[in-house]
Amino acid sequence: MQKMLSAAVRHTARSVRTCSSYVNQARYVFDLKENDDTCRQALKSGSFYLFHNLSPLIRKSENTFYTPAVSGPDLLQVLGSCGKDKLSLEDSVLLGCSESCVAEFALDLGSLEKSAIEQELSGKFTEIRNAIAKINGKMDAENASARSLLQWHDSHQYCSKSGKPTTKNVSGSKRVCHVNGLIYYPQMSPVVITLVSCKNRCLLAHQENFPAGMYTALAGYCEIGETLEETIRREIAEEVGLVVDTVRYSGSQHWPFPGSSLMLACQATVKDDKLDINRAEIEDARWFTLEEVTEALQMKTLPSKLPDGTLPVWVPPKFAIAHHLIQEWVQEQKALNGS
Ligand SMILES: NC(=O)C1=CN([C@@H]2O[C@H](COP(=O)(O)OP(=O)(O)OC[C@H]3O[C@@H](n4cnc5c(N)ncnc54)[C@H](OP(=O)(O)O)[C@@H]3O)[C@@H](O)[C@H]2O)C=CC1
Ligand SMILES: [Mg+2]
């Protein structure tokens, strides 16, 4: 009995510690956002993900690349030798905190000479999509939300009502106009991305601005006043002339290109598969079989040309939610077929 009790206590203690640890982290981050002095203090012991004009710093260790977290004191030293008068730790934006409650920030060093900092930090500032490809196709918070936040601050320097400069709070969770008190919070646009299917085929589309050969699910920005389902119905009708029958939510992703979007991914079905493509928006849209989609999923980004000079169809890489929507459909089809 005693043995069972202590096992139960141990189990409870472990679950409480895990839960309380997440709660502690969430509340610590909330405090950092709300309280300038707490955040100022945290900057000294925080860790920093560094960017140069929105390109993240990546470092190579043996054969792998990673985005290094630079400590506050190390960063101060770099700023000291490369341009202390141009930037300070307070120009950073808060990203969150580690499990051990070390605050994590992002700082864009775009006003400093790139090659000098790269040398100091033993890394390279790399265009974000190339950086993601190098760090094993992972797009984590250091890249996604950091880029969106830094970009938002850069483009919200002035109040749209008074025309006067806005000031960021220490954490960067908002900007304030001191003339009229207006508060600006970082914004993102909701976007639906829908994989439409009809019986045993799914619809993938290619836009003029996509890389050659890349086909993906249909996407579109939500308009004010619309529900998620209404946006899906409208976008599918606008882009390919189909009437959506059913919609099922699948997942979501923060997407930092070109600005900051919340991608809401859904599976949808239609009863009638006759396409009427809106060529102003979509260059091509086609129904694909399970075999064709399975093959496209296995293709590497930018596959080599076929003997006739064309590129085989490929789909977005794993860091895009489109990839997971397509993979989900493939798995469901295979389950239906019993394969
Ligand atoms: N993560 C993923 O897996 C994927 C992400 N996406 C992303 O989804 C997003 C939307 O897809 P897309 O097909 O282009 O969308 P839409 O079909 O809605 O067309 C884009 C056009 O909508 C207009 N628009 C309306 N509202 C906005 C807004 N808030 N921000 C920017 N443009 C707006 C713009 O037109 P105008 O410039 O004429 O004003 C823009 O060119 C893209 O940013 C794309 O990167 C797409 C596919 C996969
Ligand atoms: Mg679209």
Side-chain angles (χ1 to χ4, degrees):
M1 178 67 181
Q2 183 58 42
K3 224 173 172 178
M4 274 175 70
L5 201 63
S6 47
V9 169
R10 268 205 308 277
H11 174 74
T12 313
R14 210 171 23 237
S15 6
V16 167
R17 196 161 54 240
T18 316
C19 163
S20 108
S21 151
Y22 177 72
V23 171
N24 284 347
Q25 280 177 50
R27 292 191 176 163
Y28 179 52
V29 171
F30 177 78
D31 196 22
L32 292 171
K33 285 182 190 161
E34 294 296 306
N35 190 328
D36 280 354
D37 287 336
T38 315
C39 195
R40 215 167 261 127
Q41 201 57 34
L43 280 167
K44 294 180 192 155
S45 54
S47 50
F48 293 78
Y49 293 95
L50 301 174
F51 289 73
H52 195 277
N53 293 329
L54 301 180
S55 294
L57 179 80
I58 61 169
R59 217 181 253 167
K60 195 175 179 187
S61 162
E62 290 171 9
N63 283 331
T64 54
F65 288 91
Y66 66 102
T67 42
V70 178
S71 74
D74 285 354
L75 180 56
L76 273 177
Q77 211 173 335
V78 174
L79 292 180
S81 54
C82 297
K84 193 163 45 188
D85 48 338
K86 291 195 189 131
L87 267 178
S88 80
L89 294 189
E90 281 201 31
D91 293 307
S92 310
V93 293
L94 177 73
L95 298 177
C97 77
S98 69
E99 278 181 18
S100 48
C101 281
V102 172
E104 295 172 333
F105 299 91
L107 178 63
D108 197 304
L109 304 172
S111 57
L112 309 183
E113 218 250 299
K114 192 163 113 182
S115 55
I117 325 162
E118 285 180 332
Q119 205 172 351
E120 286 272 338
L121 292 163
S122 316
K124 272 243 165 289
F125 292 106
T126 308
E127 192 279 320
I128 190 160
R129 285 182 197 253
N130 294 339
I132 291 166
K134 284 194 161 153
I135 52 176
N136 294 332
K138 257 177 58 211
M139 183 172 65
D140 34 34
E142 295 92 72
N143 283 321
S145 48
R147 183 192 148 96
S148 292
L149 260 178
L150 292 168
Q151 193 175 26
W152 181 83
H153 280 281
D154 186 50
S155 55
H156 288 78
Q157 303 276 314
Y158 294 91
C159 172
S160 57
K161 192 154 186 188
S162 70
K164 300 289 180 203
T166 54
T167 316
K168 132 178 148 36
N169 65 344
V170 179
S171 71
S173 64
K174 58 186 166 192
R175 299 189 74 88
V176 180
C177 171
H178 293 288
V179 174
N180 54 29
L182 273 180
I183 303 175
Y184 294 88
Y185 293 98
Q187 287 169 330
M188 56 186 176
S189 307
V191 174
V192 293
I193 173 150
T194 313
L195 186 65
V196 177
S197 57
C198 186
K199 298 186 188 110
N200 56 355
R201 293 184 305 164
C202 75
L203 185 68
L204 299 177
H206 176 82
Q207 271 173 233
E208 205 184 343
N209 60 343
F210 286 178
M214 192 189 88
Y215 279 69
T216 187
L218 295 167
Y221 288 94
C222 297
E223 289 179 1
I224 283 186
E226 281 181 334
T227 62
L228 180 64
E229 293 79 1
E230 284 165 348
T231 309
I232 292 172
R233 263 180 86 77
R234 176 182 54 74
E235 279 290 335
I236 305 304
E238 265 178 29
E239 297 193 345
V240 288
L242 295 174
V243 177
V244 165
D245 182 29
T246 66
V247 171
R248 178 163 45 90
Y249 175 76
S250 173
S252 66
Q253 172 187 45
H254 176 78
W255 187 245
F257 314 106
S260 178
S261 301
L262 177 64
M263 305 292 307
L264 302 154
C266 294
Q267 300 283 352
T269 59
V270 292
K271 284 184 175 152
D272 182 352
D273 64 1
K274 191 170 178 323
L275 297 174
D276 174 11
I277 300 170
N278 178 352
R279 302 283 171 191
E281 292 211 36
I282 303 282
E283 195 170 272
D284 185 33
R286 282 188 247 155
W287 291 105
F288 287 82
T289 62
L290 176 61
E291 292 69 31
E292 288 168 328
V293 177
T294 308
E295 201 175 313
L297 272 171
Q298 281 155 6
M299 210 79 74
K300 289 212 168 64
T301 342
L302 294 177
S304 23
K305 281 185 182 164
L306 297 170
D308 66 359
T310 60
L311 272 170
V313 168
W314 56 283
V315 296
K318 282 190 181 141
F319 70 83
I321 200 161
H323 186 99
H324 299 275
L325 258 185
I326 297 167
Q327 204 163 41
E328 182 181 58
W329 180 80
V330 164
Q331 276 156 5
E332 286 172 3
Q333 287 297 303
K334 284 187 175 163
L336 275 177
N337 297 345
S339 54

